[in-house]
Amino acid sequence: MAATSSICVLTNVYPGKPSFSLSLSCSTPTLRVPSANLAFTSPHSRRVTAVARAVSSTESGATGGSTSTTNASPPTIVMCFLSPDGDTATSAIEAATWAAAAAETPDAADSSAKVPATAQVVTIGSGEKNLRRAMADAKVPLYDMYGSVMNCGGGGSCGTCLVDIVAGAELLSGRTEAEGRYLKKRPESWRLACQTIVGDKENSGRLVIQRMPQKVKK
């Protein structure tokens, strides 16, 4: 739609000097009046420049479209930590069902499938931390009595930060050389928390992790 036409006339008169007038017409949205081209020696040139800027501003408002930017939420990983005590088999089934519901309901709080009552749920940004750091920050117990005294502090040289990935292993980094050494005789689902990065900064999903799997009764 064309902008409403308007005409602005400025007249400058000095005794003994010729007069001049400037007419600015804005009849279409494509009018451009660059203020840099309006060079006058008259002291009133500032007023002319101001009018030119006003016309340009009006035209921009008539033709410019508004743009909106939607900031997508950063990817997150929701982790469910199972206790090594109690009925671990039933807890694992319940938690796996909760993890499978992520495809339809990313938010654990909105899912009809609930986590076991004894489980702890922690959410972190994808690719931000290794599993050991994430558990420490959330105060989720990682070590048994022996590991709490003899652990190497996350250097991958003790093999005491054992976890079992019940569901969501595809969200984690691959096994490292350290894990290859310490987990040779362990199930493929077992990992060292200090060697396991949670997420890759792009993926999202749910993890089910069995704490202290070496203590779980068979």
Side-chain angles (χ1 to χ4, degrees):
M1 182 182 293
T4 304
S5 300
S6 62
I7 299 177
C8 178
V9 179
L10 300 175
T11 304
N12 185 24
V13 180
Y14 290 91
K17 301 291 183 179
S19 62
F20 68 87
S21 63
L22 172 67
S23 298
L24 302 176
S25 177
C26 180
S27 59
T28 66
T30 58
L31 177 63
R32 296 288 191 276
V33 186
S35 58
N37 295 333
L38 298 175
F40 297 91
T41 57
S42 165
H44 290 227
S45 63
R46 288 181 304 220
R47 295 177 58 192
V48 177
T49 301
V51 172
R53 287 175 177 170
V55 173
S56 296
S57 176
T58 301
E59 180 207 1
S60 299
T63 61
S66 60
T67 58
S68 60
T69 302
T70 302
N71 295 324
S73 300
T76 57
I77 305 294
V78 184
M79 301 176 291
C80 173
F81 293 97
L82 303 179
S83 169
D85 303 317
D87 188 353
T88 56
T90 300
S91 295
I93 294 174
E94 292 176 352
T97 303
W98 166 83
E104 298 180 359
T105 311
D107 187 355
D110 297 334
S111 174
S112 58
K114 301 301 181 181
V115 299
T118 57
Q120 293 173 269
V121 177
V122 177
T123 301
I124 65 170
S126 178
E128 290 184 353
K129 305 173 182 178
N130 65 34
L131 189 51
R132 180 182 186 274
R133 173 50 55 192
M135 294 177 72
D137 289 348
K139 295 180 172 53
V140 177
L142 171 60
Y143 299 105
D144 59 13
M145 185 176 297
Y146 173 82
S148 63
V149 176
M150 301 302 295
N151 76 84
C152 65
S157 60
C158 68
T160 61
C161 56
L162 293 169
V163 293
D164 185 6
I165 309 303
V166 178
E170 68 279 1
L171 300 173
L172 305 174
S173 61
R175 274 193 175 188
T176 64
E177 292 183 4
E179 289 179 289
R181 292 193 303 270
Y182 288 102
L183 301 177
K184 284 181 180 180
K185 298 181 180 181
R186 300 293 193 179
E188 287 295 322
S189 59
W190 286 31
R191 300 293 304 270
L192 296 182
C194 70
Q195 300 294 297
T196 306
I197 304 298
V198 183
D200 61 6
K201 296 186 181 297
E202 295 182 359
N203 56 7
S204 297
R206 294 179 181 177
L207 275 171
V208 178
I209 302 165
Q210 176 64 65
R211 299 188 294 109
M212 306 177 205
Q214 70 276 21
K215 293 185 61 179
V216 175
K217 296 180 181 180
K218 304 299 182 182

